[in-house]
Structures are given as structure tokens and as C-alpha cells.
Amino acid sequence: MTLCQVTIDGPAASGKSTVAKLVAQRLGGHYINTGDMYRTVACAVLRRGGDPRNQTEEIAEVLPTLDLGYVLDEGGSLVLMLNGEPVKQEEIRTAEVAAVVSYVARIPAVRYWLRARQRKTVELGTIVMEGRDIGTVILPNASNKFFMTASPEERARRRFAQPGEVPAGATLASVAAEIAERDQMDMNRPVSPLRPAEDAVLIDTDGLTPEQVADRIVDRVEGRA
Ligand code: DC
């Protein structure tokens, strides 16, 4: 099998993770979630008692204390490790982290620091990498780029149905507002804003199941579409 790099970008709650995992399984490749890396940095800052919303310099000082990266475990599965420990999803997918992670992701020093760690994963073989700037900045030479979208209503419904990230007492409207705020920050930051690569295939996922979206991507990657 030829090795390939598949990039899947798109806004929050557009269904990237579910689809990217399916695509990785079908291609026999590794699934890399770069949002988890930003969340892990945000979580580390919160743990030190910092407020990522107004501590740009302090955050840059935290980075050298972090040893973060994807490694293969003994069973051949890819695991995100922080300072020798596996990163736990329940710790990075919280309402507290969701509230501040876009502030961390705006900081150029954080983005440059993570860029090298994200690019390193191409050494692992076939990879399916999801994020916001993978097709534009991290792997601009990847031959298979996709940009997933969904209507704001659909994304709010999807996020509302996800446990953990939604604060207690949230409503569909408040979740929609939080997603819209995050989109604005992600699209309007000066460094690596969220936008489709010129050569990305756009997929509107409204009304499609994750399997249908994954089928489209795999067909394209394998040259059937
Ligand atoms: O995909 P996610 O919701 O887990 O991403 C968390 C945050 O990280 C989100 O605010 C956007 C940011 N992010 C980014 O700026 N660049 C990436 N490649 C991935 C995520």
C-alpha cells in the first residue's frame, strides 16, 4: 500500500473527528488529532493556575516544560503523551478547556511549537490528520486535502449531544453561541487562521452520516471519485 497523508480541516463540531477516525481505519493509517494537542497545552496552563486568556508570555514559558507528542504503544496504537503520561480525553474535553483553548491557539509561539511536533508524525506512515490549518500550513504538500463544513444549527446539535464539553445548564442556543465565538477566533487570528486550502475538497456534511462522508473521502483518496 502506498503511504499517504490525508488532511481534514474544518470548524468546531463539523464532525471531523468521527470521520477522520473512520478514514484512518479504512486506509490502515494513523489518526492524529491536532486539536487534542492545543487542548493539552491549554490544560497544562490551567493546571498551573494560569488564565490562558491574558497570559501570552507565561504560556510561552510553560512550553519548554512540556514533552508532548504522539508515540506508538506496544500494541501499535498511536497515543498522545505528555511528560511520559498518556493524555486522558476526559481531562482535555471539559467545558473549562473548551472555554480557553482558542486563546491558546492564537498564540504564535504555541503554534510554531506544535507545528514541528505535528509534522513529525508523517514519519509514522499513512496518517489522517485533523485540525484547522493542516492543509494550509502543517502539510501543504499533502495530496489529499478535505475541508468539512456543516450548518451552525447542525454543529450546535452535534456538540450538544457530546458529553463533557458542554457546561452544566447549557442550552442549544448557548452552545451555538459558544461555537460561533470559537469560529470567529479561529478564522480571524493572524497566524494560521481557519480556512480551506486552495486545493482542498469541500464537503458539506449536513444530512450525511459519518460513514457516508468517510466513503467520499476514501473513494477520492483511492482514486475512485
Ligand atoms: O478541534 P478541537 O475543537 O478539539 O480544537 C480545539 C481548539 O484548537 C480550537 O479552538 C481550534 C484550535 N485548533 C487550531 O487552532 N489548529 C488546529 N490545527 C487544531 C485545533
Side-chain angles (χ1 to χ4, degrees), residues 116-183:
R117 285 157 180 79
Q118 291 163 4
R119 285 189 178 148
K120 199 168 160 44
T121 61
V122 302
E123 293 167 8
L124 295 162
T126 289
I127 53 164
V128 179
M129 191 183 292
E130 71 152 282
R132 304 291 191 288
D133 61 341
I134 311 305
T136 50
V137 174
I138 303 300
L139 302 176
N141 297 323
S143 51
N144 296 283
K145 299 182 184 176
F146 299 88
F147 192 90
M148 287 177 49
T149 58
S151 63
E153 299 75 27
E154 177 64 27
R155 293 194 287 130
R157 272 196 295 278
R158 287 178 189 166
R159 179 51 49 87
F160 201 58
Q162 277 170 358
E165 280 204 57
V166 179
T171 61
L172 198 55
S174 71
V175 170
E178 188 258 330
I179 289 179
E181 188 189 335
R182 197 122 70 92
D183 284 353

Side-chain angles (χ1 to χ4, degrees), residues 35-53:
D36 281 3
M37 300 176 108
Y38 286 96
R39 286 167 181 271
T40 304
V41 174
C43 203
V45 175
L46 289 173
R47 273 206 201 122
R48 288 165 67 111
D51 178 353
R53 279 169 291 208

Side-chain angles (χ1 to χ4, degrees), residues 11-209:
S14 55
K16 299 186 300 292
S17 302
T18 314
V19 167
K21 277 182 210 158
L22 284 172
V23 172
Q25 264 170 20
R26 294 200 196 161
L27 295 177
H30 293 294
Y31 162 64
I32 318 275
N33 184 334
T34 59
D36 281 3
M37 300 176 108
Y38 286 96
R39 286 167 181 271
T40 304
V41 174
C43 203
V45 175
L46 289 173
R47 273 206 201 122
R48 288 165 67 111
D51 178 353
R53 279 169 291 208
N54 53 22
Q55 297 199 346
T56 304
E57 278 170 29
E58 286 82 347
I59 291 171
E61 280 167 19
V62 170
L63 295 177
T65 72
L66 306 179
D67 179 11
L68 178 68
Y70 276 97
V71 294
L72 283 173
D73 71 9
E74 285 170 3
S77 300
L78 206 56
V79 186
L80 182 60
M81 302 286 288
L82 175 67
N83 295 342
E85 299 285 333
V87 171
K88 296 193 182 84
Q89 286 293 317
E90 61 270 27
E91 287 179 6
I92 58 171
R93 301 208 163 264
T94 64
E96 291 73 26
V97 172
V100 300
V101 64
S102 282
Y103 292 88
V104 172
R106 285 174 76 87
I107 301 170
V110 173
R111 301 203 74 86
Y112 295 134
W113 190 82
L114 283 178
R115 187 177 292 183
R117 285 157 180 79
Q118 291 163 4
R119 285 189 178 148
K120 199 168 160 44
T121 61
V122 302
E123 293 167 8
L124 295 162
T126 289
I127 53 164
V128 179
M129 191 183 292
E130 71 152 282
R132 304 291 191 288
D133 61 341
I134 311 305
T136 50
V137 174
I138 303 300
L139 302 176
N141 297 323
S143 51
N144 296 283
K145 299 182 184 176
F146 299 88
F147 192 90
M148 287 177 49
T149 58
S151 63
E153 299 75 27
E154 177 64 27
R155 293 194 287 130
R157 272 196 295 278
R158 287 178 189 166
R159 179 51 49 87
F160 201 58
Q162 277 170 358
E165 280 204 57
V166 179
T171 61
L172 198 55
S174 71
V175 170
E178 188 258 330
I179 289 179
E181 188 189 335
R182 197 122 70 92
D183 284 353
Q184 284 307 313
M185 289 188 63
D186 291 342
M187 287 188 297
N188 295 313
R189 64 176 170 235
V191 180
S192 309
L194 167 67
R195 63 178 172 80
E198 277 175 16
D199 50 348
V201 175
L202 303 187
I203 305 181
D204 178 355
T205 66
D206 273 17
L208 295 177
T209 64

